[in-house]
Amino acid sequence: MQASSHRPGAARGVLGALLLALAAVAALLTAAPAALAATPICDQYGSTTIQGRYVVQNNRWGTGATQCVTATATGFQVTRADGAVPTDGAPKSYPSVFNGCHYTNCSPGTVLPAKVSGIASAPTGISYGYVGDAVYNASYDIWLDPTPRTDGVNRTEIMIWFHKAGPIQPIGSPVGTATVAGRAWQVWTGGNGSNDVISFVAPSAITGWSFDVMDFVRETVSRGMAGNDWYLTSVQAGFEPWQNGAGLTVDSFSSAVNLGDPGTGEPEPSTACRVTYATNVWTGGFTADVTIANTGSVPVDPWTLSFTLPSGQRITQAWNATVTPASGAVTATGLAHNGRIAAGASQTFGFQGTSGGPFARPSGFSLNGTVCA
């Protein structure tokens, strides 16, 4: 009978090595950070946060058919895109990732909205993954408005078409060509009934690129479709699908907005403020409405208003803010609008209190350390 090659000593050695390897793997798994859960977002306007600073949104605004996106550590994938719409009309949706504010959904830590004249640069970068069995574009969507709005439709939309698949075209009509950010583009302008649109269409597919958003903003301003005193409200990147679209990916995305004078790069004053104050006084008590206007060039996020109550006055309750302590030198920390006051916007909070003598106005108002007029 042939001797077995499976020797007892060899078995013990293999087993020991296997146990050591398993222990090493277990240690690595214990030390590794938790990965982003790959959970599809199928709600019409469902969203989640990636990289701690950008929002991935499903944004299925133009169809009742099911669409799902799955966020990744650096971007997202369209995992389901049912149905189709006519290619001579609006697309089904705009699954995308963004920096800024979109219908009151603001990305964490964003400085947007920001005045165009106060932005030195807005570098961004993207890497796309395309599919061959769908009709869609891969595009940036950049929004501008005369006001620092964080909700609703902005006045002007800049679209940058990196790629188009199928018989689709931008809104409006072609108006010529332009070289922007070192690349040649076909330029289209028009309107959709809600806002003006300028589109820059690449002559061939771009799968990845890093560029400055402000090059396209300045081109738009030079064509009279926006002003330097307008606000950049969001920088978005994704896809507009008309038919199918499952498998499309944004593999990576980055966006930053650097505030400062475009000529010198020196930061502009970030905060200036104004406070107006109205009271209703009765024997032994009062209510006060305080409106804080951010007259600076960038958002105040979060906002804390400090002021001093006269001796004998005491706050008993507040709304739209948390006020601490109840008397003396106090601070009001914003709750409404996610604790944020956009540039050029205002926030009102109120409080009720008691007074041990004649009512006197609080003094020393300052917003995040800046004295308010």
Side-chain angles (χ1 to χ4, degrees):
M1 183 172 68
Q2 188 175 18
S4 171
S5 63
H6 184 68
R7 298 185 303 275
R12 285 195 296 272
V14 171
L15 179 60
L18 179 60
L19 290 173
L20 287 173
L22 289 173
V25 170
L28 286 172
L29 291 175
T30 301
L36 180 70
T39 303
I41 302 169
C42 300
D43 291 345
Q44 183 175 11
Y45 299 113
S47 66
T48 191
T49 300
I50 64 169
Q51 302 183 46
R53 52 185 172 171
Y54 308 125
V55 175
V56 169
Q57 59 177 354
N58 197 28
N59 199 12
R60 177 177 55 81
W61 63 269
T63 180
T66 300
Q67 174 180 283
C68 302
V69 299
T70 297
T72 64
T74 56
F76 70 91
Q77 179 178 32
V78 180
T79 51
R80 183 172 176 180
D82 295 353
V85 294
T87 56
D88 60 352
K92 295 189 294 182
S93 58
Y94 187 58
S96 49
V97 56
F98 69 84
N99 171 22
C101 296
H102 179 79
Y103 283 81
T104 73
N105 188 5
C106 295
S107 58
T110 187
V111 299
L112 299 177
K115 188 171 286 189
V116 168
S117 62
I119 300 174
S121 63
T124 186
I126 195 162
S127 176
Y128 277 117
Y130 301 140
V131 297
D133 59 348
V135 176
Y136 64 93
N137 68 42
S139 57
Y140 266 71
D141 220 357
I142 299 161
W143 291 94
L144 301 168
D145 197 77
T147 66
R149 66 181 306 159
T150 60
D151 61 344
V153 177
N154 286 199
R155 179 79 61 82
T156 294
E157 176 185 12
I158 302 172
M159 296 204 74
I160 310 172
W161 286 37
F162 278 52
H163 177 49
K164 76 181 189 75
I168 54 173
Q169 65 183 39
I171 288 173
S173 57
V175 293
T177 60
T179 299
V180 183
R183 288 181 179 268
W185 307 89
Q186 186 181 47
V187 183
W188 293 60
T189 61
N192 59 18
S194 299
N195 55 269
D196 296 326
V197 184
I198 180 169
S199 301
F200 299 88
V201 182
S204 59
I206 303 170
T207 56
W209 188 35
S210 296
F211 62 100
D212 189 344
V213 165
M214 294 307 295
D215 288 338
F216 290 90
V217 171
R218 293 178 189 120
E219 179 71 19
T220 302
V221 170
S222 73
R223 292 171 178 265
M225 296 185 68
N228 284 317
D229 58 345
W230 286 31
Y231 292 82
L232 173 65
T233 65
S234 69
V235 176
Q236 308 183 20
F239 305 94
E240 288 185 321
W242 275 258
Q243 298 173 10
N244 304 323
L248 292 167
T249 60
V250 168
D251 297 315
S252 65
F253 173 77
S254 64
S255 170
V257 176
N258 300 316
L259 302 176
D261 186 299
T264 66
E266 292 297 320
E268 289 191 342
S270 61
T271 306
C273 53
R274 183 177 66 254
V275 168
T276 54
Y277 187 85
T279 60
N280 178 33
V281 182
W282 63 90
T283 303
F286 65 93
T287 57
D289 288 318
V290 179
T291 300
I292 318 151
N294 173 15
T295 58
S297 59
V298 299
V300 177
D301 185 11
W303 67 265
T304 299
L305 188 73
S306 302
F307 56 94
T308 301
L309 285 169
S311 178
Q313 290 180 196
R314 181 178 180 84
I315 296 173
T316 56
Q317 61 178 310
W319 47 95
N320 282 353
T322 298
V323 180
T324 55
S327 60
V330 303
T331 60
T333 303
L335 296 178
H337 301 307
N338 299 315
R340 183 177 194 271
I341 308 177
S346 61
Q347 173 66 63
T348 298
F349 78 95
F351 54 87
Q352 180 173 305
T354 60
S355 176
F359 178 83
R361 172 185 172 132
S363 61
F365 288 103
S366 63
L367 181 64
N368 291 10
T370 299
V371 176
C372 299

